[in-house]
Amino acid sequence: MALQGKGKSSSYLKSPDLLPVKHNERKIGVMGFFAMWVGMAILLATFDIGASGIQGISLPWVVLATLIGCIAIGAFITIIGDIGVEHGISFPVYMRAPFGTVGTHIPSLTRAVTASFWFGINTYFGATAINAILHTMFAGFDNWLLCYIVFALVQLINTASGIKWVERFADVAAPIIIVMSLIIYQTLHADIQAQGADVWSWVASPVTGGAAFTAFMVVLFANMGFWATLGCDIPTISRHFKAPKHERNWFKRNKTTLIGSFVALPLTEAFMIMIGAAAFIVAGTSNPVTALQETASGWMLAMLLFMIVLTQWSTNTAANVLPAAAVFSNVLGPRVSHAVAVFVAGIVGTVIQPWSVYEILTQVLLIIGAVLSSVSGILFADYYLLRKRRVNVPDLYKNRGQYRFHGGVNIVGFISWFIGGVVALIFMNYSFIVGFVVAAAVYYVLNKYWYFHKYPQAEITDPDDEKYLGITVGRDWSIDEEIEKDEVVAK
C-alpha cells in the first residue's frame, strides 16, 4: 500500500509530520544510528554520573555499573523501538492507543518538557565551552548568554532541516568526537598521574558492604533513568530506520537499533563516565570544561572544548529536539509545522532554565526515570502483550475511531501510569525496573479483563497479521486525508 503525499491536512490528528513514514523514505542505517549514539551519549549528565560514582566506589565498579545499566536500557529502547520500525509511527501518535486521542497529550508533554529541559542544559554546557574557546582566542571575551543564543539557533536550524541533516551532522561529528575524547581523557589522566594518584583506584570516601552495593545500584539505575526518556519515544527516531520488508525475524528487523543500543551506547557512555571521574579527581568537578581549563591551554584547550560543543549539538538534535518537536506538533495541531515545533522546544528549554538544577542532576535523573519508566512499561504491555505488535494504525488518526475510548481518554493508561510512578518513586534506587514492571502489570490486567471489553480493539478481537502488521507484511500504512464528519461538526 502506498502512503499518500504529506500535504497539509485540516484534521487535528493528521499533522503531516506525524503521518507514517514510508519504507522508501527511511534513510538511517546501522552506521547512521551508531554515529548518533556516539554523539548522544556524551553530555553533562554522563560526566556527572562518573563524578558522583567515585564518591563511594572505585572507577572499575562505576564503569561496570554503567555497562550493565546501558545494556539493560538498550534492550528496552530496542524493544519499544520496534513500534517505529514496524509501523513507521512516532511516539505521540502511538500513545493514542494506551492513553486515548486526547489523553496522549499529558504523558507526551511530560516527555517533551523533559527533552526541552535537556536541550536547555546541554546548550548551556556547550555555550560555556564556546565562551571558553572565545576567551582563549580573544582575551577578555566573556559572554556566555550570547554564546547560548547563537548555539541554540544553530542546533534548532539543523534539526528543523529534517532527520537526514541530523544524521549527516552525526556522521561528521562522531569520528571527531571519538578522537577528541581520547585526547581529553589522556590529558586528564596525565595530570592525575602527575599528582601521584591512580584514576582506577581513587575514591573520595570509600564505602563497603551494603553501602557499596547501594552506590553501585545508584550508578546503574542513574544510567537507566537517564535514557528512560529516549526509551519512551525512540519510535520517533526508529520510524526513520532502514529495515527489510517481509522480515518476521525480530532481531533482523531491528538490527539498526540493536547494534546502536548494545554497542555504541554502553561503550561511549562508559568512556564518558571515565572522563567525568577523571575531571572530578583533577578539579573537584565533573564539568570537563572547568577541568580542562586547569590542565590545558592555548589551541589544545580550544580544540578539546570544541569537542564538547559537538557532543552537545549531536545529543540535542537527535535525542531532545527531534522527539520534543514531534510531541509539540501533535499537541498544537496540523497548522504547526515540524520547523515551528522545533523552535517551540527550544523556547521551552530556555525559559525553564534547567541549568539551575545542575547540583542535583543525578537525583533529577532518578525522578525522571521513575516517572517515564512507567510509560515505557505501558507501551510494552500495550504493544507486545495485548496487541501483539498488531495496530489499527488508521484509527490512530481518527477522532471517533477505536482509540477515542471515553472522551478521548483511556483511563487505564493514567491509572497504570500513576500507580507505576508512585511505586517507582518509593523505591527510587530501582526506579526504572520497578516503574516499568508495575505499570505494565496494572495496564495489562485492567485492559485485558475490563476496559478492552468495554471498548473493543479491532486488532485484538481480529488478530489478523495482514490487516494490522506493517513492514513485516510489506505494508506502508495509508492514512485517509479526508476530514471526518465529526471533525466538520466540531468546527
Side-chain angles (χ1 to χ4, degrees):
M1 297 176 66
L3 182 67
Q4 79 293 337
K6 296 188 178 183
K8 288 189 176 296
S9 167
S10 54
S11 169
Y12 181 78
L13 298 175
K14 298 175 185 173
S15 293
D17 297 311
L18 297 179
L19 295 177
V21 177
K22 291 195 298 184
H23 181 265
N24 62 6
E25 294 176 342
R26 303 183 185 190
K27 305 299 184 182
I28 299 178
V30 172
M31 293 309 299
F33 189 50
F34 192 99
M36 290 171 69
W37 260 130
V38 170
M40 290 192 296
I42 308 174
L43 64 165
L44 185 60
T46 311
F47 298 130
D48 188 60
I49 293 173
S52 299
I54 61 169
Q55 300 300 306
I57 55 178
S58 62
L59 186 56
W61 289 109
V62 175
V63 170
L64 178 61
T66 297
L67 290 173
I68 295 173
C70 287
I71 290 171
I73 193 62
F76 287 110
I77 288 172
T78 306
I79 288 169
I80 301 302
D82 186 69
I83 296 172
V85 173
E86 178 67 33
H87 298 284
I89 55 179
S90 63
F91 165 72
V93 171
Y94 188 81
M95 287 284 280
R96 297 168 186 174
F99 286 92
T101 52
V102 175
T104 179
H105 296 323
I106 298 177
S108 295
L109 278 173
T110 300
R111 165 50 181 149
V113 171
T114 302
S116 299
F117 170 101
W118 285 118
F119 168 79
I121 200 166
N122 292 339
T123 301
Y124 170 75
F125 186 33
T128 61
I130 294 172
N131 189 63
I133 292 172
L134 293 176
H135 182 75
T136 300
M137 297 173 62
F138 308 102
F141 181 90
D142 186 13
N143 192 332
W144 77 266
L145 181 59
L146 176 61
C147 295
Y148 180 97
I149 294 171
V150 173
F151 187 39
L153 287 174
V154 170
Q155 294 173 88
L156 295 174
I157 291 171
N158 181 204
T159 313
S161 300
I163 185 68
K164 192 60 185 176
W165 284 102
V166 171
E167 185 203 3
R168 285 173 180 169
F169 175 77
D171 289 341
V172 172
I176 299 174
I177 290 170
I178 292 172
V179 172
M180 289 297 192
S181 61
L182 290 170
I183 295 174
I184 287 177
Y185 179 75
Q186 182 58 39
T187 302
L188 295 173
H189 187 265
D191 192 72
I192 292 171
Q193 287 185 318
Q195 296 175 14
D198 179 9
V199 68
W200 291 100
S201 60
W202 192 96
V203 183
S205 302
V207 295
T208 58
F213 178 77
T214 299
F216 181 88
M217 296 306 292
V218 166
V219 173
L220 191 156
F221 282 102
N223 279 285
M224 293 188 71
F226 184 23
W227 293 111
T229 51
L230 193 65
C232 288
D233 63 12
I234 184 62
T236 299
I237 300 175
S238 65
R239 63 182 177 146
H240 297 283
F241 291 171
K242 296 176 181 178
K245 280 188 173 183
H246 303 286
E247 179 57 74
R248 291 187 173 272
N249 185 297
W250 187 91
F251 294 95
K252 291 181 179 179
R253 195 173 57 252
N254 289 286
K255 181 175 69 172
T256 296
T257 327
L258 276 167
I259 294 176
S261 300
F262 279 83
V263 180
L265 167 61
L267 292 181
T268 306
E269 183 117 344
F271 191 63
M272 294 311 115
I273 291 291
M274 291 163 54
I275 290 179
F280 184 83
I281 296 172
V282 169
T285 174
S286 64
N287 190 332
V289 173
T290 302
L292 287 171
Q293 286 176 310
E294 295 189 12
T295 59
S297 60
W299 287 103
M300 173 63 75
L301 175 61
M303 285 193 298
L304 296 179
L305 292 174
F306 179 64
M307 190 279 284
I308 301 294
V309 176
L310 291 180
T311 58
Q312 305 318 295
W313 185 344
S314 184
T315 299
N316 271 341
T317 53
N320 296 323
V321 182
L322 193 66
V327 173
F328 289 128
S329 180
N330 181 52
V331 172
L332 299 175
R335 292 179 178 81
V336 174
S337 67
H338 168 71
V340 173
V342 162
F343 280 89
V344 170
I347 292 170
V348 172
T350 300
V351 169
I352 59 180
Q353 299 181 28
W355 48 84
S356 61
V357 299
Y358 172 66
E359 297 300 327
I360 56 170
L361 198 52
T362 300
Q363 191 67 18
V364 170
L365 286 177
L366 291 173
I367 294 173
I368 291 172
V371 173
L372 292 178
S373 66
S374 300
V375 175
S376 294
I378 290 168
L379 288 174
F380 173 78
D382 186 82
Y383 182 65
Y384 285 98
L385 303 183
L386 292 168
R387 304 183 196 278
K388 295 179 170 53
R389 297 182 48 251
R390 305 179 189 95
V391 183
N392 185 6
V393 172
D395 269 35
L396 290 171
Y397 296 88
K398 295 178 181 178
N399 275 332
R400 297 191 178 278
Q402 69 179 53
Y403 304 110
R404 179 174 174 79
F405 301 107
H406 180 72
V409 176
N410 180 351
I411 189 64
V412 171
F414 286 94
I415 293 172
S416 307
W417 187 25
F418 176 78
I419 294 174
V422 169
V423 175
L425 288 172
I426 293 173
F427 298 96
M428 180 61 73
N429 288 340
Y430 312 96
S431 58
F432 186 90
I433 294 296
V434 173
F436 185 99
V437 172
V438 171
V442 173
Y443 183 85
Y444 176 81
V445 171
L446 291 182
N447 275 312
K448 184 175 180 62
Y449 299 104
W450 169 51
Y451 210 62
F452 284 173
H453 291 289
K454 186 175 181 180
Y455 298 99
Q457 303 294 287
E459 60 270 53
I460 296 177
T461 57
D462 178 25
D464 189 325
D465 288 356
E466 294 300 322
K467 289 182 180 178
Y468 301 115
L469 284 180
I471 198 172
T472 297
V473 296
R475 172 183 286 111
D476 277 332
W477 285 104
S478 179
I479 306 302
D480 184 8
E481 283 282 299
E482 294 183 6
I483 305 171
E484 299 176 75
K485 292 181 180 180
D486 63 289
E487 293 170 339
V488 176
V489 173
K491 288 185 177 181

